[in-house]
Structure formats: structure tokens, C-alpha cells
């Protein structure tokens, strides 16, 4: 079978046909805007290319592959689409087909094997890798390398990301798999720890758990859970993503929990898409549907269970704004809850930022593989930030958090603005 035949067989023809080419998606698409209105880099343009290959009109070309690679996968086109086209599903299937048939370079093979096969799927490997970063930060090695200018040998995008890496805490080992609510119990939630969140942002996970307890939640933490598979799904590694989805479903379905809760928008949206990922597997389809029905972001749970009545935070007066996580907003439909929580904070002067629902340019590892486009989008985002002059930017996804920290540094505003995760903001008394 050729790659073109695979497009004909595997792409959802009905979903391709749903696109009416109306153009409602265009003002919401960051790459369409950044390329000056190039249809090849718009949602409807990409769908048109997919359909043309599916119908046998054109072959898969380098132009088409590049168009899909440049797409952020932010899914901002989905909420504004009058036909309800599931663009994210089409994008991931097209990338999966291309990945199955193309011949990767040696460099790409090494990166995919190291990062996607060995690092993210294996908790112990992730812990070791993050432990090395901690050693780099605490041993004096980081200061020495910066002083001698060794980082100049690396690409600019990697140098910039090194500057905004958070201080890695020492790994806290805990055998506690059930934590009780503070006060009256309202619900039992199963907590999805994530891979980066449970290592590089372990403190944020701990704060999230404390907030959930304060909202009356008993918390259970499945021991056998793993990476959600989002990076794999977005990178065309569909089979690997399927394996990881099955692992997580098995880990959580034995938990007697009302909800499955997480604090990373990218993870949440992909977890909520397990039903589609496993839709062709009769043995897993129903299990994935039950799993999806329980998925909630932690901010939704806090609002649902009257968080504001249980705990109050006092901070010095400050101006704060919120940057949406694309997948939290567009994939999970969560946008009001984080803002409600921020407004509850005493001393917070909340101001809405222009285009807060627009992508910041992070998109997983997009800022590493498409640095030019990513930085264009980020620089535009920072112009909107500077218009509202906040002291704090709050977001709800680790990639967005690092990207906003990077934007602050690029704009020379490190002394005026800080970027924090929503859970850390709420717990910083």
C-alpha cells in the first residue's frame, strides 16, 4: 500500500467533507496570521490538502508535509467552526500516516527513540533525566557553563529554554496512594500525575493535591499510571500513544473515583480523546468512553465543590492576567473556571489580556522543532501582555508556563513580571 492509498483508507472521509471552506477558522489560526494569510497554513487549507490526497487528486508532497509540521495543533479552529469539524483528529491521523511511510533521517530516528520511546513512556527514565537537570542546577555546573559561554555552541532556542528551566526540587518519594479531604468529604478523585508534572513540576502537583483536599476531595493515586501519550499522538506515533492510553485506562478503571483529575491542559485534552484514539478497537472502545466521562481539570473540581467557601488566600495587591492553555480551552472547554479562581484571591486585580485564548507558541515541543514560528507567535503574545502591564501571568499547563517565562525574559521584563501555574498561584499565601 502506498502512502496515498493509506490516506484513502485511514482518513475519515465524513470529517473531511464536514469542512465547508467557510473561513470562520482563519482569524483564529496563529500560523495563518503569521504567514500573512497563506491558505496552505490555515485549517481549511490543510484539510483541503488532506482531502485532495484522500481523493487521489494529488500525491503527498513536501509542501503538504511541511504545512502539517508547521501547524501548532492548538485546535483554536474547532470552537469557532460552525460545522463542528474535529480538526485535531484529522491532523493527528494525517501525521500518523506520514510517519508510518516516510523515511526519517538518522537524527530523527535517534531523537524519536530516545525521547518518545525511552524517556516519556518510562517513569524511571524520566526521573533520572530530571535528576540530571537538578544536578546540573545545584552542583555549580550550570553557573560554570554559563560563565565560560559554552551554551553559545547550542541553537538559540535551546539556550533560551535553558534560561527558564524551573529549579528542580529533590524528588519526594511517597507510598501514600490515598489522601483524605480536609473537612467534609464531597468527592473522591483519582489524580493523574503526568510525567513532567510529577518530576520537573512536582511542587505544582503537591499544591494541586492540597487544593483538592481543601475542596473536600479524597484523592487516590494509581501506581501504574504513566505518560498520557500526547507528545506521541501529536508527533504521529499513534501506536505508541494507543499503548500508553491502554496502560492508563487499566490503571484508573479499578479506582473507585468520581473523577479523574489533572492540572495540565495538554494532558487533559489528550486523555479526554482516548475514546477516539481507541474507537476502532472493540475491546477498548467502551472502556475508553467510561474513562473519558470522568476526566476533569482540577480548576473545574474546585469551582464545582465550592472552593471559595473553604479556604481564603491573602496576597499583597497586584495586577494579574491569565493565559489560556489551548488544549484546556479548546480541547476540554475549560476557560471560565481558572479566571473565577484568580478573582477569588484577595489583593488580585484581574485584567483580561487581549487574545488570551490565542496560542503562546509552545505546543508541546513545537518551540524546539519550529523555533522561528514559535518565537514570532510568542513575541506577539508579549505585546498583548505589555498592554495590560501585569505583575503576574497565570497559566495552567507546563509548556505554556515555560513559554511565558521565556517571553518575559525575551522582553527584558524579568524584574517586573512573573509567570506561575494556577495551582502555585492559589497556594502562594
Amino acid at each position: 500500500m502506498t502512502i496515498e492509498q493509506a490516506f484513502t483508507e485511514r482518513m475519515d472521509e465524513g470529517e473531511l467533507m464536514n469542512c465547508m471552506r467557510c473561513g470562520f477558522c482563519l482569524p483564529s489560526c496563529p500560523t495563518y496570521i503569521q504567514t500573512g494569510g497563506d491558505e496552505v497554513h490555515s485549517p481549511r487549507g490543510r484539510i483541503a490538502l488532506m482531502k485532495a490526497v484522500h481523493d487521489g487528486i494529488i500525491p503527498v508532497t513536501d509542501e503538504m508535509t511541511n504545512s502539517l509540521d508547521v501547524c501548532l495543533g492548538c485546535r483554536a479552529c474547532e470552537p469557532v467552526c460552525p460545522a463542528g469539524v474535529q480538526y485535531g483528529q484529522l491532523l493527528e491521523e494525517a501525521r500518523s500516516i506520514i510517519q508510518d511511510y516516510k523515511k526519517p533521517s538518522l537524527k530523527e530516528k535517534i531523537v524519536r527513540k530516545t525521547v518518545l520511546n525511552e524517556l516519556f513512556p518510562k517513569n524511571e527514565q524520566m526521573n533520572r533525566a530530571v535528576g540530571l537537570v537538578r544536578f546540573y542546577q545545584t552542583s555549580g555546573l550550570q553557573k560554570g557553563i554559563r560563565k565560560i559561554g559554552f551554551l553559545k555552541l547550542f541553537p538559540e532556542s535551546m539556550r533560551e529554554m535553558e534560561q527558564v528551566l524551573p529549579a528542580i526540587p529533590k524528588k519526594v518519594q511517597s507510598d501514600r496512594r490515598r489522601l483524605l479531604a480536609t473537612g467534609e468529604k464531597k468527592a473522591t478523585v483519582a489524580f493523574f500525575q503526568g510525567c513532567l508534572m510529577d518530576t520537573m513540576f512536582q511542587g505544582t502537583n503537591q499544591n494541586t493535591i492540597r487544593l483538592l483536599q481543601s475542596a473536600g476531595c479524597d484523592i487516590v493515586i494509581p501506581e501504574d499510571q504513566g505518560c498520557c501519550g500526547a507528545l506521541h499522538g501529536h508527533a504521529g506515533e499513534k501506536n505508541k500513544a494507543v499503548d500508553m492510553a491502554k496502560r492508563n485506562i487499566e490503571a484508573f478503571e479499578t479506582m473507585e473515583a468520581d473523577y479523574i483529575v489533572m492540572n495540565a491542559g495538554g494532558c487533559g485534552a489528550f486523555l479526554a480523546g482516548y475514546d477516539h484514539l481507541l474507537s476502532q478497537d472493540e475491546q477498548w472502545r467502551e472502556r475508553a468512553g467510561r474513562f473519558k466521562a470522568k476526566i476533569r481539570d482540577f480548576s473545574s473540581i474546585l469551582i464545582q465543590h465550592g472552593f471559595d467557601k473553604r479556604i481564603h488566600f491573602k496576597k499583597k495587591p497586584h495586577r494579574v492576567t491569565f493565559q489560556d492553555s489551548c488544549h484546556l480551552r479548546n480541547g476540554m472547554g475549560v476557560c471560565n473556571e481558572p479566571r473565577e479562581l484568580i478573582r477569588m484571591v484577595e489583593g488580585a486585580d484581574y485584567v483580561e489580556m487581549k487574545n488570551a485564548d490565542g496560542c503562546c507558541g509552545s505546543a508541546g515541543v513545537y518551540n524546539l522543532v519550529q523555533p522561528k514560528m514559535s518565537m514570532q507567535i510568542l513575541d506577539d503574545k508579549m505585546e498583548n501582555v505589555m498592554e495590560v502591564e501585569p505583575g503576574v501571568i497565570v497559566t495552567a499547563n507546563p509548556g505554556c508556563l515555560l513559554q511565558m517565562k521565556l517571553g518575559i525574559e525575551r522582553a527584558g521584563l524579568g524584574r517586573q513580571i512573573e509567570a506561575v501555574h494556577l495551582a502555585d498561584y492559589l497556594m502562594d499565601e
Side-chain angles (χ1 to χ4, degrees), residues 144-154:
I145 284 179
R146 287 179 173 179
K147 186 175 182 179
I148 65 175
F150 183 72
L151 290 172
K152 293 180 181 179
L153 299 176
F154 292 86

Side-chain angles (χ1 to χ4, degrees), residues 126-138:
M126 179 63 76
N127 283 325
R128 289 194 192 99
V130 174
L132 289 174
V133 176
R134 182 176 184 275
F135 174 79
Y136 169 72
Q137 292 177 334
T138 60

Side-chain angles (χ1 to χ4, degrees), residues 10 12 89 93 238 242 245-246 249 273-289:
R10 290 170 53 179
D12 187 335
Q89 295 175 5
E93 189 63 39
K238 183 178 180 179
V242 165
K246 291 178 179 178
I249 291 171
Y274 277 2
D275 61 330
H276 174 76
L277 187 65
L278 297 169
S279 62
Q280 303 303 311
D281 190 323
E282 293 184 6
Q283 295 181 346
W284 287 88
R285 188 185 302 129
E286 290 186 8
R287 295 168 72 178

